[in-house]
């Protein structure tokens, strides 16, 4: 059986490789939900390609708007390097926050004496 | 299938948030009862890998792309639908807050679709299919396909209630695209479950006698 430390190291390396490769190879076509929105907004046919000038209206109901620090997994003015930074930040933060929350939860059980 | 802010009115979004919070509370209870210190880093690395794979959009034809969601993967590997709620909630918060992928107000709906529905369909789909066909990795793949397809239909119903999609065209388009994207979900989930359980046979709960979702009552 693989040691936990080794399992985690291999897992992180796989995540980083997938993330970095994604920056170069990921499809820029709209995802299923965006494609559906384009279809119902009359910008795209169901099974046809997405026209390059298709415009997705996201602000259907208005109201709340939020500006994220790294929109679309990128860093302003940094191009491909910014995309790699964004992916690595995301992988790192996902690992650390889940590790933190899960560790606190696991310790609460042990404190309660099972 | 990350719903952006403008797609659901605020009041409806609030309702989804309330439902999502209930399941988040239950997932935290799962974490307290089921997570040992030994398992904690494994859950964390699974979350990191799911984040990375969600960034990898693969073309599925029809001018559309899709990526692994990971609800079925988390639920099957860790033996509970609440594992999916736990991991997907944190991943969706990070995606929404830092990267603007999926809305803030609509995050509750996204947690319900991908974490709750994806996790429950993935977990119980796996248990049910495996009881019939016996092969764990094929069962994981089929369950994962449904765990992509059914949340997509749920999203299209939510967006119909929101007045954003018409009902039938929305269901047809969401269903068509996610039937294709589900093949990605199925393949990656089957391979990942195989690799993870071969590296760590101790995690393979499904070969043991109990099929309870993480023995919640026994803890």
């Amino acid at each position: 059986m693989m040691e936990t430390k080794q399992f985690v190291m291999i897992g992180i390396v796989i995540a980083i490789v997938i993330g970095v490769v994604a920056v170069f190879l990921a499809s820029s076509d709209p995802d299923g939900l965006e494609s559906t929105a384009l279809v119902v907004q009359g910008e795209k046919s169901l099974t046809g390609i997405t026209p390059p000038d298709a415009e997705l209206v996201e602000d259907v109901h208005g109201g709340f708007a939020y500006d994220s620090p790294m929109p679309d997994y990128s860093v302003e003015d940094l191009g491909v390097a910014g995309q790699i930074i964004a992916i690595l930040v995301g992988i790192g933060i996902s690992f650390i926050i889940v590790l933190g929350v899960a560790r606190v939860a696991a310790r609460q059980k042990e404190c309660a004496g099972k | 299938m990350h719903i952006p802010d403008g797609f659901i009115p605020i009041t409806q979004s609030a309702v989804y948030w309330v439902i999502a919070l209930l399941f988040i509370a239950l997932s935290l209870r799962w974490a307290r009862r089921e997570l040992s210190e030994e398992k904690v880093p494994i859950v964390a690395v699974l979350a990191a890998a799911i984040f990375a794979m969600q960034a990898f959009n693969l073309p599925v034809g029809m001018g559309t792309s899709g990526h692994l969601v990971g609800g079925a993967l988390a639920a099957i590997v860790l033996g509970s639908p609440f594992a999916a709620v736990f991991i997907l909630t944190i991943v969706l918060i990070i995606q929404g807050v830092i990267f603007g992928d999926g809305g803030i107000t609509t995050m509750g709906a996204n947690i319900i679709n991908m974490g709750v529905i994806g996790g429950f369909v993935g977990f119980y789909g796996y248990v049910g299919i495996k009881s019939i066909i016996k092969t764990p990795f094929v069962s994981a793949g089929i369950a994962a396909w449904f765990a992509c397809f059914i949340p997509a239909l749920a999203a299209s119903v939510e967006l119909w209630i929101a007045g954003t999609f018409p009902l039938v065209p929305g269901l047809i388009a969401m269903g068509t695209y996610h039937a294709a994207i589900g093949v990605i979900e199925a393949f990656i989930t089957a391979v990942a479950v195989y690799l993870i359980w071969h590296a760590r046979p101790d995690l393979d709960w499904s070969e043991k006698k109990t099929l309870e979702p993480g023995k919640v009552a026994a803890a």
Side-chain angles (χ1 to χ4, degrees):
Chain A
M1 191 177 85
M2 195 183 280
E3 293 274 333
T4 297
K5 193 171 269 181
Q6 192 189 3
F7 182 93
V8 171
M9 294 302 287
I10 292 173
I12 290 283
V13 169
I14 291 172
I16 290 172
V17 170
I18 291 170
V20 172
V21 172
V23 168
F24 297 96
L25 295 185
S27 167
S28 57
D29 280 336
D31 74 9
L33 185 107
E34 290 163 342
S35 281
T36 302
L38 289 169
V39 169
V40 304
Q41 291 173 7
E43 297 277 319
K44 175 186 182 314
S45 67
L46 180 64
T47 55
I49 58 154
T50 301
D53 60 345
E55 284 270 359
L56 177 67
V57 179
E58 279 201 14
D59 194 20
V60 178
H61 296 286
F64 187 84
Y66 170 76
D67 289 319
S68 64
M70 297 183 182
D72 296 325
Y73 304 92
S74 63
V75 181
E76 208 181 348
D77 300 331
L78 286 186
V80 171
Q83 289 176 282
I84 293 173
I85 291 167
I87 285 290
L88 296 179
V89 166
I91 291 170
I93 292 179
S94 298
F95 182 77
I96 290 164
I97 293 185
V98 173
L99 189 76
V101 177
R103 183 158 283 166
V104 168
R107 291 208 173 130
Q108 278 177 348
K109 175 178 69 179
E110 289 179 15
C111 292
K114 300 188 182 179
Chain B
M1 66 182 91
H2 295 53
I3 301 172
D5 275 313
F7 273 20
I8 300 180
I10 300 269
T11 44
Q12 291 177 27
S13 295
V15 174
Y16 296 124
W17 255 119
V18 170
I19 300 167
L21 285 171
L22 179 76
F23 281 96
I24 293 168
L26 291 170
S27 80
L28 289 171
R29 194 179 70 161
W30 164 82
R32 277 201 301 275
R33 290 183 171 180
E34 296 301 323
L35 283 186
S36 57
E37 289 266 354
E38 167 79 6
K39 246 188 189 176
V40 166
I42 292 172
V43 178
V45 77
L46 195 57
I50 287 173
F51 176 90
M53 284 190 277
Q54 286 214 6
F56 206 154
N57 279 61
L58 295 165
V60 296
M62 303 178 284
T64 299
S65 71
H67 56 71
L68 179 90
V69 176
L73 175 58
I76 295 168
V77 164
L78 295 171
S80 169
F82 291 108
V85 181
F86 184 81
I87 289 177
L88 267 292
T89 295
I90 296 175
V91 168
L92 284 163
I93 291 171
I94 292 166
Q95 289 172 332
V97 172
I98 301 179
F99 303 103
D101 190 9
I104 304 292
T105 58
T106 50
M107 200 181 284
N110 287 326
I111 290 168
I112 291 170
N113 295 336
M114 290 181 262
V116 177
I117 301 177
F120 275 80
V121 170
F123 180 81
Y124 289 102
Y126 173 76
V127 172
I129 295 163
K130 183 166 171 282
S131 73
I132 300 165
I133 65 169
K134 311 293 178 199
T135 352
F137 309 111
V138 176
S139 307
I142 297 170
W145 185 86
F146 282 102
C148 174
F149 186 69
I150 295 179
L153 299 184
S156 59
V157 171
E158 290 154 15
L159 291 167
W160 168 63
I161 296 169
T164 305
F165 290 176
L167 181 60
V168 173
L171 283 169
I172 289 172
M174 283 294 275
T176 304
Y177 296 137
H178 290 89
I181 295 167
V183 177
I184 296 170
E185 190 87 25
F187 181 75
I188 296 176
T189 301
V191 171
V193 170
Y194 177 86
L195 291 175
I196 292 169
W197 282 352
H198 269 71
R200 290 296 299 251
D202 60 313
L203 292 174
D204 184 359
W205 54 274
S206 75
E207 291 302 317
K208 296 165 196 162
K209 278 172 196 151
T210 52
L211 283 176
E212 295 296 308
K215 327 182 273 309
V216 171

